[in-house]
Amino acid sequence: MTQNIQFQKVATRVSLVSIVGNLILSGFKLFAGVVSNSSAMISDAVHSASDVLSSILVIIGVRIAARQPDKEHPYGHERFECVAAILLTMILFLTGLGIGYGALRSILSSQAGTLAAPGPLALVAAGVSIAVKEAMYWFTRVYAKRIGSPALMADAWHHRSDALSSVGALIGIAGARMGYPVLDPIAGIVICLFIFKACYSIFKDAVDRMVDRACDRETEDALRQCALAQPGVLGIDLLQTRVFGSVIYVDLEISAHSGHSLQSAHDIAESVHDAIEAQFPAIKHIMVHVNPHPDTEGARHAPDSPAQPIS
């Protein structure tokens, strides 16, 4: 089983779990919101239902991203997953906008004293939603980090934003039942703000991956240490990384003794290449170039290199 197939299977399985969970949860919250006359809970149900569409987008995005390179896309299709994450953000933004508009209209069109207080079932639904959505967030996040999927991580944040919105709904519903019914639609506005914040985080991460953002400093330091640990490597002249969708590309220039033969220099480069790919599974391609170390220029013979030819 290739890495792409495994990536696709994991992402699809996690997304299917999310779809089933969100369908059940959104149906329960919608029922509770209608029965209890809670606009915050109805808004929360719509938010959960929107997550079903986001999970479907994740499945489509990872299926395309997992395709092998072809003539039109010689570097692969990984960035299609970022496209899915951006589309997902747009849908979530529109959902939040609709929730905020509905809550604001409810406040402006009604007198605070005439708004009906939500029933107790809305409180139960909010508590259940917080527990379930937080569990779904951690479940999805673990697998998103494991396979390095930005779209799946965006879906995880959808679960987290839903859990936070349910906290707002719980506060609003409880406040409304305590004699402050206007707090229920106010909670809807708070939900809207949570959604907008999640949109910004998801969109920024997806764009960063689309514009060849470099890896974090910790990853680059680990790459340097891995290269320097290989026999024959005397220094690192250049290290450039770029995140390409869910994978990483690396350009590396190392320095070695100037007296090495071409074959010996090639063997050193191969050992660096193989060691880095073995230690960093997210790296899809690494280019290693060998330069003569300045302190050894003019030397006619290099010390015996422990690097062995790659069979």
Side-chain angles (χ1 to χ4, degrees):
M1 182 182 295
T2 65
Q3 184 176 353
N4 282 346
I5 294 176
Q6 179 67 18
F7 171 86
Q8 178 182 323
K9 283 184 174 293
V10 171
T12 300
R13 183 172 65 250
V14 173
S15 297
L16 288 175
V17 171
S18 296
I19 289 172
V20 173
N22 280 317
L23 283 174
I24 296 173
L25 188 62
S26 62
F28 173 61
K29 289 198 289 189
L30 181 61
F31 172 77
V34 172
V35 171
S36 302
N37 192 35
S38 171
S39 61
M41 186 49 56
I42 293 174
S43 298
D44 214 19
V46 173
H47 187 188
S48 292
S50 72
D51 284 353
V52 174
L53 180 57
S54 74
S55 296
I56 293 174
L57 277 176
V58 170
I59 293 175
I60 295 173
V62 297
R63 282 183 178 272
I64 297 175
R67 291 178 181 174
Q68 294 298 318
D70 53 34
K71 185 176 181 180
E72 288 76 21
H73 306 90
Y75 293 99
H77 300 78
E78 283 81 6
R79 280 183 176 164
F80 279 97
E81 193 182 355
C82 297
V83 174
I86 291 174
L87 290 176
L88 191 154
T89 305
M90 294 172 61
I91 293 172
L92 187 61
F93 176 81
L94 292 175
T95 301
L97 198 63
I99 290 173
Y101 174 75
L104 187 61
R105 186 176 61 179
S106 177
I107 293 174
L108 296 178
S109 64
S110 304
Q111 296 296 323
T114 63
L115 290 173
L121 184 59
L123 281 174
V124 175
V128 170
S129 177
I130 292 169
V132 172
K133 294 301 292 187
E134 185 68 12
M136 292 175 69
Y137 162 75
W138 284 105
F139 171 74
T140 307
R141 182 179 182 271
V142 166
Y143 283 99
K145 290 179 72 68
R146 183 174 298 176
I147 66 176
S149 170
L152 202 59
M153 184 60 76
D155 209 23
W157 276 104
H158 272 204
H159 297 320
R160 168 56 65 83
S161 69
D162 211 358
L164 292 174
S165 72
S166 293
V167 172
L170 180 65
I171 295 172
I173 294 167
R177 289 182 55 78
M178 292 171 62
Y180 302 95
V182 73
L183 289 180
D184 185 51
I186 287 177
I189 294 178
V190 174
I191 292 170
C192 171
L193 296 177
F194 275 127
I195 294 174
F196 286 165
K197 183 178 183 299
C199 285
Y200 172 77
S201 298
I202 298 167
F203 182 80
K204 182 178 183 300
D205 179 70
V207 170
D208 282 345
R209 293 173 181 269
M210 292 281 282
V211 297
D212 292 342
R213 175 179 55 87
C215 292
D216 57 86
R217 180 176 297 178
E218 291 77 12
T219 300
E220 291 196 342
D221 287 343
L223 285 168
R224 287 190 180 90
Q225 293 304 315
C226 181
L228 287 170
Q230 305 313 306
V233 179
L234 301 181
I236 305 296
D237 295 338
L238 175 70
L239 173 63
Q240 292 180 328
T241 61
R242 59 190 179 101
V243 179
F244 188 90
S246 58
V247 299
I248 301 171
Y249 283 75
V250 179
D251 292 318
L252 178 65
E253 292 187 11
I254 61 174
S255 56
H257 198 285
S258 60
H260 278 306
S261 66
L262 178 59
Q263 180 62 53
S264 181
H266 169 76
D267 293 342
I268 293 172
E270 283 285 340
S271 68
V272 171
H273 176 279
D274 294 346
I276 288 178
E277 283 201 339
Q279 185 173 330
F280 301 89
I283 292 179
K284 181 177 181 178
H285 177 76
I286 175 172
M287 179 68 71
V288 183
H289 178 77
V290 183
N291 297 322
H293 193 279
D295 292 342
T296 64
E297 289 183 1
R300 301 189 59 181
H301 299 288
D304 292 336
S305 173
Q308 298 298 320
I310 306 299
S311 56

